[in-house]
Amino acid sequence: MLLFDFVLQMFGNDTEKIFVKDRRKQKAKLLMFYRRGVRIGNWEFVLVFFIGDNNKTYTAKEKIMKKPIKRIGVAVLASCMAFGVLSNFGLRGVEAAGNTVEVYEGDDIAAVINKAAAGTTIYVHAGNYKYKSAISIKNNDISVICEEGTVLNGTGVNVTSSNESMVKIYGDNVTIDNLDVTGLKTNSYKVVPTGYRVCAGADHVTIKNCEVSDIGCIYENKSNIKKYNAHGIIVSGEIASAITDVTIDNCYVHGLTLGQSESLVLNGNVDDFKVINNLVENNDNIGIDLIGYEKQDDDYSEEENEFDRARNGLVENNVVRNISSGSNPTYKDSKCAGGIYVDGGTTIEIKSNYVENSDIGIEVASEHEGKITDNITVTNNTFVKNQGFNGISIGGCDKENGYAGDCIFAKNIVYNEANHCFNFQQIKNTNVITDNVFIDTASDVYEKESACSSDALKKTKISNFISRKTSFATKDTVFNVKYVDIDSDNCTITINSDKKFDGYGAKIDFSKNTLGKTVKEDEKPVDNYEENDTEDNTEAEVDENDTEDEEMVEPTYKISAPSFYTVKDLSDGSKQFTFKKTGSTNWKHITVDFNDVDLERYNKVYITVVASRKDLYLGITNKDEDDPIFYRNHWKSSSKVGTTKEVTIEIDLTEDNLDGLYIYCDATSSSTYKKSQKLTIRSIRFDKK
């Protein structure tokens, strides 16, 4: 022990723990060692003291699961008594640590990176690098720094099990910056094309500023259609080998065909992660996924299997758009893909994300019977038109699934024009859904599925701001919405109402999230400064005569009607038109005049109306009475409103209607409706491109 104390004083105390599987007892044994390495030239000396009790077993509950021994080299293992061995292992023929290596277009990028010694920084110059074999980073302390425009291109490559992942990371302290991967596709369901894969045992990994595109499945084998899988980025930990401290930052993941898998996913034993500032869009399955319980193994105890969960994570400042399985044949065109999905994860904070036009804005659920997704906090996010299924969904979708519990949803904004804002499935324990803003223009705000028990729902705290009364027994506040303006480019939603919602929803910081919005060189604004001006932050002088041309004029509208209608201005700014059948004046139109519609900036107009009867025929044309263009043909039964709730009608803006529209209401002679036929125009808004 004197030697032991002396060495600790000389070299310090680095402690590692090894998880050793005893399959006979289905327990884990602990081998703990003190290690200190000294590098002299091309030789590394490793001093190792092994400590352990061969008769004692440890469970996963004691949190001893760590990756296998790395960098020990050749060491003689005696008994599990305190013992020291001074050993060395040769590094001859391999680049010494601390080197820098440069890669140029035409080089074999995988060969250079794969042979780099621990501590090497690889600088990759811009270029289109042909993908030949997988980049596999197995050494520690590796940095791959790429110039803008560095692309690893897998187009035309025959995808096999050995090259299905373009970049694989096994080592610790690995950073990859600005390496774009693209083009790896296959019609084979037996392989899984993947952009980036972080493998079990890796720690302290950062993937940032990388673009992942055009990767995935070519759905040709119809008889095995459900076996297709692909990933953009996957971090995949195993029960006995955790991945810790992973950051995925400012990556652009798009144009993927994923089969049954996900765009950006952390699966299994992944502890301490950040998914921040990314743009994920235009993929045919889940956008960001945080998974647990998929790798359960009977060889492990129940406590050990609990490590099979993505946990202790942050998902912040991401933009997720156009995520839908509607065109994915492995789902038979069912729309069920979540923009963000937590399936089995635990202790995760999801905040300030913007999700638009996905099947589900966010789903917090468990697909595994008897298992729970818990301690998920979802705050200050914006979910817009995620209406293939619902804006937010919580729980397992049927009795064969698991639960969600102890989750919090607060200060989120959800806007839908179809389906519901919030969907309840199998839940348990106490969930808190308070202080959110739910605007639904076509359906009830809430939906409860049969899998959700009434007792579980009673334990849920529900108190939100909602745009319409609901059948749910809640403590909600109904507020009056005048109009909603959505700016998809800037990821914002503006709510004009009798309530103020400052501090609600996402505030996307584009200084940290720029991928997918890069300005081309010839489109960049030109400085108004003279060449000899200094950078003193002084505002450039602007000719007052030029300001009028540069000012952006917002479109406006005006509504008028003939005497066939009795017009009433309501307190919320709506116009209510009352009418009844009087001879041949059945089809008099309401006129909506548009002003200052710039078709280069605006491409749609949305008209929100409420009819007093479900079978009201509603027609809309342009203002050409001689040869009208019908956007809704009031002569056809398909133009019945069909509800007495709000309906929003979307119309493309063109040269034919930029000056306005005619709205037609039929007036029945039925005595039931004769004195009570009304159409209320709640709002008209113009949508920017």
Side-chain angles (χ1 to χ4, degrees):
M1 293 303 293
L2 291 175
L3 175 62
F4 179 79
D5 293 336
F6 170 75
V7 171
L8 292 185
Q9 292 176 14
M10 290 294 293
F11 295 106
N13 180 354
D14 272 358
T15 306
E16 290 201 18
K17 299 176 183 179
I18 306 170
F19 178 70
V20 181
K21 182 64 184 169
D22 186 341
R23 292 186 177 273
R24 291 173 300 174
K25 297 182 179 180
Q26 294 191 7
K27 292 287 185 177
K29 292 186 177 181
L30 176 65
L31 177 61
M32 184 169 66
F33 66 93
Y34 292 90
R35 171 180 59 80
R36 190 68 179 177
V38 179
R39 180 178 297 279
I40 304 175
N42 287 336
W43 290 79
E44 181 170 338
F45 297 87
V46 182
L47 192 61
V48 186
F49 290 89
F50 297 97
I51 300 173
D53 180 355
N54 201 38
N55 295 317
K56 183 178 180 181
T57 59
Y58 298 80
T59 68
K61 187 176 181 181
E62 294 172 87
K63 297 186 178 181
I64 62 172
M65 296 196 177
K66 296 294 291 185
K67 58 183 179 297
I69 306 175
K70 294 185 177 180
R71 295 179 295 174
I72 295 179
V74 179
V76 179
L77 305 182
S79 66
C80 291
M81 300 168 57
F83 188 73
V85 178
L86 183 63
S87 66
N88 66 68
F89 57 93
L91 294 173
R92 302 180 192 275
V94 181
E95 294 176 31
N99 280 357
T100 60
V101 178
E102 293 190 72
V103 181
Y104 294 87
E105 188 171 16
D107 293 344
D108 187 339
I109 186 173
V112 175
I113 295 174
N114 293 351
K115 75 175 183 180
T120 301
T121 298
I122 300 103
Y123 293 101
V124 185
H125 294 266
N128 192 352
Y129 292 82
K130 178 65 177 176
Y131 179 57
K132 298 177 182 178
S133 58
I135 294 175
S136 295
I137 302 175
K138 296 183 178 180
N139 283 328
N140 299 328
D141 307 308
I142 298 291
S143 296
V144 180
I145 312 299
C146 304
E147 287 184 348
E148 182 72 28
T150 301
V151 179
L152 183 61
N153 196 326
T155 303
V157 170
N158 179 36
V159 184
T160 66
S161 58
S162 64
N163 69 0
E164 63 182 4
S165 295
M166 299 180 77
V167 180
K168 294 164 61 173
I169 300 171
Y170 298 90
D172 297 349
N173 301 308
V174 173
T175 296
I176 300 183
D177 187 351
N178 217 15
L179 176 59
D180 301 342
V181 296
T182 188
L184 194 69
K185 306 193 79 169
T186 181
N187 59 5
S188 173
Y189 64 88
K190 297 180 180 180
V191 293
V192 183
T194 301
Y196 281 90
R197 180 180 292 271
V198 181
C199 303
D203 291 336
H204 315 301
V205 174
T206 298
I207 301 171
K208 62 181 181 180
N209 305 321
C210 298
E211 182 173 354
V212 181
S213 65
D214 196 30
I215 288 173
C217 311
I218 302 172
Y219 305 112
E220 290 184 352
N221 192 316
K222 304 302 180 185
S223 60
N224 290 284
I225 198 68
K226 289 190 175 182
K227 295 182 180 179
Y228 280 102
N229 291 278
H231 300 282
I233 301 173
I234 179 170
V235 182
S236 184
E238 300 296 333
I239 293 174
S241 192
I243 298 173
T244 61
D245 185 20
V246 176
T247 299
I248 302 172
D249 182 4
N250 200 39
C251 292
Y252 183 25
V253 184
H254 64 108
L256 309 181
T257 49
L258 299 162
Q260 296 272 310
S261 295
E262 308 85 20
S263 309
L264 193 167
V265 56
L266 294 90
N267 190 341
N269 195 358
V270 183
D271 186 5
D272 184 15
F273 63 84
K274 295 183 180 67
V275 178
I276 53 177
N277 312 317
N278 302 287
L279 173 57
V280 182
E281 64 179 356
N282 302 323
N283 304 322
D284 72 352
N285 208 354
I286 298 163
I288 298 172
D289 201 358
L290 314 165
I291 298 179
Y293 307 122
E294 281 196 349
K295 303 176 183 182
Q296 303 283 284
D297 190 333
D298 291 339
D299 286 339
Y300 296 104
S301 69
E302 182 178 348
E303 291 175 324
E304 290 162 1
N305 273 319
E306 275 298 301
F307 277 83
D308 180 27
R309 303 178 72 184
R311 60 196 182 277
N312 300 320
L314 173 66
V315 179
E316 182 179 16
N317 202 55
N318 301 284
V319 176
V320 184
R321 296 189 290 228
N322 306 326
I323 301 298
S324 177
S325 58
S327 62
N328 186 332
T330 72
Y331 285 88
K332 296 183 178 180
D333 303 328
S334 174
K335 293 185 177 182
C336 56
I340 300 174
Y341 187 22
V342 187
D343 169 24
T346 182
T347 317
I348 299 169
E349 185 176 11
I350 301 171
K351 65 179 182 179
S352 197
N353 302 282
Y354 180 90
V355 184
E356 182 176 4
N357 196 35
S358 298
D359 296 338
I360 307 170
I362 183 171
E363 184 171 11
V364 177
S366 171
E367 295 183 8
H368 299 272
E369 186 174 4
K371 300 294 187 180
I372 189 169
T373 296
D374 57 355
N375 296 310
I376 310 300
T377 303
V378 182
T379 56
N380 287 101
N381 302 279
T382 299
F383 304 104
V384 172
K385 296 183 185 179
N386 302 288
Q387 49 205 31
F389 185 68
N390 282 306
I392 297 175
S393 186
I394 179 174
C397 64
D398 59 43
K399 299 296 183 182
E400 295 179 356
N401 293 144
Y403 304 88
D406 301 312
C407 298
I408 297 173
F409 296 81
K411 288 202 169 182
N412 303 288
I413 297 176
V414 184
Y415 175 83
N416 267 8
E417 295 173 350
N419 286 321
H420 307 271
C421 288
F422 203 101
N423 171 256
F424 293 94
Q425 300 178 16
Q426 283 202 122
I427 56 176
K428 66 188 311 184
N429 302 342
T430 301
N431 295 285
V432 177
I433 304 153
T434 58
D435 208 22
N436 301 283
V437 179
F438 294 146
I439 303 172
D440 200 313
T441 65
S443 305
D444 199 339
V445 166
Y446 300 110
E447 180 183 32
K448 173 185 172 295
E449 297 195 12
S450 59
C452 181
S453 72
S454 298
D455 289 340
L457 195 60
K458 288 178 182 178
K459 296 179 182 178
T460 303
K461 298 179 181 179
I462 305 174
S463 178
N464 304 289
F465 296 95
I466 61 175
S467 61
R468 59 172 73 240
K469 290 182 180 179
T470 177
S471 57
F472 271 61
T474 66
K475 297 180 180 180
D476 291 332
T477 300
V478 179
F479 69 102
N480 183 27
V481 183
K482 295 181 180 179
Y483 67 84
V484 174
D485 184 48
I486 297 165
D487 185 343
S488 298
D489 289 339
N490 292 301
C491 302
T492 60
I493 181 169
T494 302
I495 303 170
N496 189 309
S497 72
D498 56 350
K499 299 285 185 182
K500 298 296 183 183
F501 297 110
D502 296 336
Y504 288 71
K507 297 292 185 290
I508 297 296
D509 183 354
F510 282 107
S511 68
K512 298 179 179 178
N513 188 319
T514 57
L515 285 169
K517 298 174 66 66
T518 304
V519 180
K520 294 180 181 178
E521 197 67 32
D522 58 355
E523 294 177 349
K524 291 181 180 178
V526 178
D527 283 338
N528 290 323
Y529 296 102
E530 296 294 333
E531 290 184 359
N532 59 356
D533 280 348
T534 58
E535 295 182 4
D536 60 358
N537 295 324
T538 305
E539 293 185 2
E541 294 184 5
V542 180
D543 190 336
E544 293 181 0
N545 296 326
D546 293 335
T547 58
E548 186 175 348
D549 293 335
E550 295 177 0
E551 185 178 353
M552 296 295 184
V553 180
E554 300 294 329
T556 60
Y557 65 89
K558 179 181 178 182
I559 304 175
S560 58
S563 58
F564 173 65
Y565 299 92
T566 300
V567 184
K568 181 179 180 181
D569 292 322
L570 304 182
S571 59
D572 63 356
S574 304
K575 284 187 178 293
Q576 187 180 77
F577 300 85
T578 305
F579 50 93
K580 61 182 180 179
K581 186 174 179 65
T582 55
S584 60
T585 60
N586 193 21
W587 292 106
K588 296 291 186 182
H589 58 252
I590 300 167
T591 301
V592 182
D593 294 309
F594 296 157
N595 294 300
D596 301 317
V597 176
D598 182 355
L599 295 179
E600 292 185 359
R601 296 184 65 212
Y602 295 89
N603 62 345
K604 292 184 184 297
V605 61
Y606 294 94
I607 304 173
T608 300
V609 301
V610 178
S612 61
R613 57 186 175 93
K614 294 181 179 180
D615 56 347
L616 175 68
Y617 286 78
L618 185 67
I620 302 178
T621 72
N622 65 338
K623 291 167 66 176
D624 187 342
E625 296 189 34
D626 296 326
D627 187 18
I629 297 173
F630 286 86
Y631 308 109
R632 285 176 64 99
N633 192 334
H634 53 268
W635 303 111
K636 296 182 178 180
S637 60
S638 60
S639 290
K640 286 183 179 180
V641 177
T643 180
T644 56
K645 298 179 180 179
E646 280 188 3
V647 173
T648 298
I649 301 159
E650 175 185 314
I651 297 172
D652 291 332
L653 288 168
T654 68
E655 294 285 350
D656 296 311
N657 59 26
L658 63 84
D659 61 341
L661 300 166
Y662 289 153
I663 300 177
Y664 298 85
C665 306
D666 76 322
T668 180
S669 58
S670 167
S671 59
T672 304
Y673 298 119
K674 193 169 185 179
K675 295 182 180 180
S676 60
Q677 298 170 81
K678 294 180 175 65
L679 179 78
T680 301
I681 299 180
R682 283 282 175 85
S683 66
I684 297 176
R685 62 182 179 83
F686 300 89
D687 196 16
K688 294 179 181 179
K689 291 184 177 180

